[in-house]
């Protein structure tokens, strides 16, 4: 199967990618790398799995339709993990 993981450079996304790649699935990671730690998570995946996955540097907040169309092409499953880095509330 082929998976698209939005927010795939984050902690949960990169660990999901690791599991999917290890079992033989194809993975496309879509992330804007705004969160600290994302690049080191990708470095870990590259060290572990070399070129068995692809990365698209893109933002969902400022959606680039061409990038997203390329990202979802021939994908079986989309796992949406992209989220706001910090959440604040006011009372």
């Amino acid at each position: 199967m082929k998976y698209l993981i939005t927010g795939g450079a984050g902690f949960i996304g990169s660990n999901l990618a690791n599991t999917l790649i290890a079992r033989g699935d194809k993975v496309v990671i879509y992330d804007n790398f705004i969160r600290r730690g994302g690049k080191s998570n990708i470095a870990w995946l590259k060290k572990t799995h070399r070129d068995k996955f692809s990365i698209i540097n893109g933002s969902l907040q400022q959606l680039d339709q061409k990038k997203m169309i390329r990202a979802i092409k021939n994908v079986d499953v989309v796992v949406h993990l992209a989220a706001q880095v910090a959440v604040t509330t006011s009372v």
Side-chain angles (χ1 to χ4, degrees):
M1 302 238 344
K2 186 174 180 181
Y3 289 80
L4 168 64
I5 306 173
T6 64
F11 177 77
I12 296 170
S14 62
N15 279 279
L16 174 60
N18 178 58
T19 299
L20 295 171
I21 298 164
R23 75 178 194 186
D25 292 308
K26 295 180 181 183
V27 173
V28 177
I29 292 173
Y30 192 97
D31 205 295
N32 65 1
F33 294 95
I34 198 167
R35 186 190 147 279
R36 193 174 25 185
K39 290 182 181 179
S40 61
N41 290 340
I42 294 300
W44 166 68
L45 282 173
K46 285 183 178 181
K47 182 179 179 184
T48 306
H49 299 289
R50 295 190 179 99
D51 61 351
K52 294 183 180 178
F53 64 100
S54 60
I55 302 167
I56 297 174
N57 188 340
S59 171
L60 291 178
Q61 190 174 28
Q62 299 171 342
L63 183 62
D64 181 332
Q65 289 182 341
K66 289 181 183 178
K67 280 185 183 181
M68 185 50 68
I69 289 168
R70 186 177 63 155
I72 64 172
K73 188 172 185 172
N74 301 318
V75 167
D76 299 302
V77 178
V78 175
V79 181
H80 177 53
L81 298 175
Q84 178 73 17
V85 177
V87 177
T88 60
T89 61
S90 59
V91 180

